[in-house]
Each structure stands twice: as structure tokens, then as C-alpha cells.
Amino acid sequence: MPQHLTVPIYQRPYVWSEDEQWAPLWADVRRIAEHRLDNAGSSATHFLGAVVTQQAEARPVGVQEFLIVDGQQRLTTLQLLIDAVAAEFTARGLSDLAAQLEFLTHNGSMFVGAETGLKLRHSNRDRAAFDEVMHADPPVDYAALKHGDSLIVRGHEYFSRQIGPWLGSGEAASARAQALAVALQNALQLVVIQLTADEDSQEIFETLNARGTPLTAADLIKNFVFQRLKLEGEDEHEVYRESWPFETKFWEAEVSVGRFSTTRSAVFLSQWLVSRVGKEISPRSTFARFKFFVEHESASTMVELLSEIAAQASDYEQLTARASDAHADLSRVELHFARMAVAQVEITKPVVIWLREPGTPYSQATADAVVAMVESVIIRRRLLRLTSSDLNRVMSDLIARCRGVGDAELASVASSYLAGQQVASTYWPGDTEVRATLRTAAFYWRYSRPMARLFLQAIEDAYRGYAGEGPSKTGVRVPRVTQQIEHVLPQSWRAHWPVAGPVEAAERDEHVQRLGNLTLLTGSLNAAVSNAAWLGSGGKRDALRKHETMLMNRELVDSNNSGWDENRIDARTEYMVSLLLQTWPAPEGHEGKVVDRTVRVSKATAKYSGLIDAGLLKVGAELVCTDSRWPDARATVLAGARVLYDGVMYESPAAAARIVRGGSGNAWYFWRVGQEGPLLTELRDQLLRSATDA
């Protein structure tokens, strides 16, 4: 109906965002439209929540006005979505469908004077941006809008980017457009609480937004499940006593999933649902997606579904309990749970749940192989410190692609899919990249202590024969407890491990933190022994001999009778990296190519150490000052991009330059290599060009 829904001046500005609200809303709308496409006559709906409005004071003429007391964020977003769809329809010549949607956003000629014809009106700072994008002619040129940086315009643009690719082209696009239009007009539900003009809207607002404890997805699902049981004629009290598994401390414990914290039961139910539908599901949309699955996608009764949920919840709890036992001889899946607990990763759990669902056609060997692949993707990306934010989609897509594949083919299909990821946010890194990164990485500082310990424990397990496919040598993995991480060459090495000069000292500082210089101890060494020389009575080598319960220490002691230095650290690093790669292998011949890799460095992010890593700047090179005020200033490049100036070591060329000139400035232009060599900024340009070419 013609109306004005007004956002009062005192309401907070628009704050919804892509990750938290836009993407879940679009996923819900898309799901409804796709379901109606595949199921003619379906009455599937999606509930959007509650909105509170209040009648404004009546006017002599014009349309009725309502003030939005609560719900302006969702109403604004819904208007942006509908308008973006209408704009896409108009651009495709689907004017009839576009006109239908415009009835939901515009009042047409039913407005007075200079007032906007939009049904939703902002009166705060969002008004200009909202009016601009809602009145923009399709196709909308977002870059040309004055308020292009506002969340409102960005929201409209987000929906516009999603709609076109989803509609596609050809005959199918017309059917999809029709289904989307019907979904927006008929399948989205709101509860509207409408107040009269004389009611206390503030009291209602405070009540709705009181600081009570919000219901979790598990709470909402529980209510829905038992209402369904009652409708199906079941004794809900008996089912509750016998089959509802989530009333224990284990399931009520709080766990974190990214920035989102909720109960373990809610997390499990979301993971179980992903394992069934093979679609990424945000924590906030778990209940709505569960309800849709039960009502429109599952052929099972609620009792049957609950029986399966309870069985898999019990399996999940047992896996978690076993994984927490540091001394247990774990199965492959239990070990995966233990490692992912250390890594604080939950995104692989739906894959495990899918592989172990009741009646699974997959053997334990096949399931173990798929779990090992998934874990390798996670760990290799963690070794390179790559984000895992987009791997939720990969795990859900893996399930969707592999569900129904036979036991004999599953490992091959899963491997091909994971190895085929070629974008930076999801690719499976190859051996060459991992080895190149870890060869010189400051391993000790690169990872959290729990993660560094996990990697070293995996290396110790490999020494015990657990890397690769062969039988173990000892039959016992290292206990997953908090062993000490010890530097073989101590961090405080200068007292007992002298070197010739500053260049050698910088090189030694670089090697101290590398993987090959680290080991695990069952107990800590006192400081005097830890910092002692390698050889001699009471030396470091003799101290490590006492920790020969670790095979890595036995090999370290037996293979280095004559000393311990940078060359030995490099050799041990290479070997230990090989053990990590054997523990988390990639398919034979896999390179881990990335076809969309963007330039990872810019002038703002380039580092002096990057010049050394790229071979553009050599350790030992002389840096000469380019400023005529200090013609005699010279510095020597040390390992790690440190420099030696006037007998003092500085952390970077910039730090030395500040000392020379007595203040800050741009060190990229301050130093050149040698008397006639390139400026550091010219080397940086070469680095950027090489990154672009790659």
C-alpha cells in the first residue's frame, strides 16, 4: 500500500555489513527462489524477524506515515535488495517484473510536494545516500555516486553484483527472474508490531532490546524440534528424555567460531546441517536453514532425524573426548580433532560428520584419506600463514560435490577438487612454496607456542616413523603435552658461542629462530646449561643427551659430534621441513598454482628484507649515502636487512639513516648500493615488477 515508513532522526545510522547481514540475507532469498524453481507450487517462506512501527500524527492530505521504532536496519536492507533486483530486471528489459517490485519500494505519484516518492525515508545522515542510490537510473554507476563510500550504497552494490551472475543468461534467466520476483513478493515474512500515536514507543523499544540472554541456534532448534514432534503425534516428553543429547555441560560449553561465540551444541548443529546440505551456513542463519531443511528438503520424520542427530552428536562427543587425552593412541580422525583443537579450526568438522553419518557407504580407510587431505590443506596454509576465511565454502562444496560418489572413487574425486583450487584464499600450497618459506623463516616467532609445538610434535612423530604411509618405528606417538621448545643455539649465544664480526653476528641472529635450531624437551634446562657451549663437560650437547626420549634429540646429539653452527641449522631445517611435508602431503606432482594471485607487496608494504629474499640486495653489500651533506656515510648490509653503521648494528637501513641525519626521512632514497649502484627505491621497483609478473 502507498505509505511512508520514516526512520526518526534519533535512530542510529545504518550499520549492517556484507559478512554479518547482506550475504546471509541474499543466501536465504536465493535459496527460496531456487527451491521454488525446483518445486513448482512450493509455499516455502523465510522469516525475517520483527519490526515495530508507530503511527505518526495524521496529516490533512497525503499517505499514511509510520515511524520505525525498531527494525530500520532490516527494512533498509530489504529495500536495497528489492531495488537492486528491480534495477537488474530493468537493465535486462524485464519491465513487468521490475514494475511489480517497484510497488514495494516507491509510492509512484502518491506523494506530496517535494517529498521523496520512496516508501522508506531516512531523516538522519543516511538520507542523502539512500535517496541517491534508490533514485539512480539502472544500470547504476556506483562509482559516479556522491555517496559511493557509504554502507547503504555499498549494500545496494553488493546485491547488484550477486543478482546478475545468479540470473545467468538465456532461457533459464527468465525463469530465475520470475522465481526471484515471486520470492521477494510472497516468500519473505515479517512480524509487524504497530503502535498507535499515543503509545510509549520508548518503553517498547527498551523491552525488545533488553539485555537478556539471547536464544542460541540450539535453543531455537530445540523448540522447533519438539513442536514438530508434537504435531507428528509423538510423546515429546519421552523423546526429550531418551533422544535429546544436548543437556550436558559438554554441549552447553561456550566455544568460539571466528568472532562469533556460542554454545558447542549450536556449533555442532550448524556443522551437522552443513554436512547434510553441502552449503555454507553462517552461525546466525543456522536455525532458519535447519527449519527449511526439515520442512522442504528432508524426507525423514522428526523422530528419524533426531535419532540421526543424537547418534552423530554422541560420536562427535567421543571424538572430542578422545582427542583431549594427551596420551591416547588416537585414530586418524581423533588425531585430526586434536590438531584442529590446537589450531582453533572448526571448518573441517562438517566433512568428518558427513563421512561418519549413519549408513555411510565409506570405509574407514577412505574416510581417513579424505580427512588427511583436508587437514593437509589447513596445515599447509597455516604454515604459510594464509587466511582460512574462505575455506568454509570449500569444505561445504567438497561435501556437495562428493556426496553420492562411491567408496572406490571418493579419495580421487576429493583430491582433484581440493588440488583444483586456484585462488589465493583457497589453494592447497605445494611443496616448493612451503619449503621456500620455511627455509629462512623465523619459525619460533612466526607461530603461537601451541602451533609451533604442534609442528614440532609432528616432526618428532615423523622421527618415530609416523610420516608417510609406512609402519611406525616405535608404535608410540609423542605425548601431546606442553613440552618445552628449546633453542639448540641459544638466543643468548654471545657469551659462549662467539663469532668473528658483526656480519657473522647478524647471520647467527637470523639462524637462532629457524626451525632447524629448535627442539622439544620433556623438561626445561636451567639457564646456565641452556646457554652453555655445545661441546665440553656440562655443555649443551651433554644436556640434550638426557632428553633422548625424543628421537629428534637423539639424532641431534649423535650427528653433531664436532659442533653446531649455521650450516648445520640449515641442513636440519631442510630435513625437518621434509618431515612436515611428508606428514601433511599433497598429491604427487601438485604445484599449488594460484591464477588470481595479486601483487602482495606495494610501495607501502615492501620491506628491506624482501630485497634480500629476492636476491636484489646481498648480505655484505655496502650502502652509500646519497645526500651530499653526509658524503662519507657508509653502512654494511647484514642478514635480516640489519645494517652496520659506525660500528653499531641497526635493525634496518631506515634506523641507520635516522642516526646519520638526526631525524626521520625516506631511507629508500637515502641509500644506494655502492658508489654507482642503484638506489634502494630502484631495487624496490624491481621487486614490485617481479611480483606483478609472477
Side-chain angles (χ1 to χ4, degrees), residues 20 26 31 42 90 187 208 222 244 308 331 345 460 481-482 581 607 637 659:
E20 296 294 329
W26 170 244
R31 184 186 72 249
S42 171
T90 299
L208 290 173
K222 177 182 177 182
W244 185 251
E308 294 176 6
S331 68
V345 168
E460 172 63 21
V481 296
T482 54
L581 295 175
K607 298 180 179 180
V637 177
I659 297 300

Side-chain angles (χ1 to χ4, degrees), residues 215 250 298 584 685:
L215 293 173
F250 173 82
S298 174
W584 291 290
D685 290 340

Side-chain angles (χ1 to χ4, degrees), residues 25 40 60 81 115 194 301 374 377 444 468 498 510 533 560 576 595 653 655 665:
L25 173 61
L81 169 60
E115 288 187 340
Q194 194 171 93
T301 66
V374 167
V377 174
Y444 185 74
E510 280 293 297
N560 296 281
M576 294 172 82
V595 298

Side-chain angles (χ1 to χ4, degrees), residues 112-124:
V112 178
E115 288 187 340
T116 175
L118 299 175
K119 291 191 173 185
L120 182 65
R121 304 189 303 174
H122 284 264
S123 57
N124 55 24

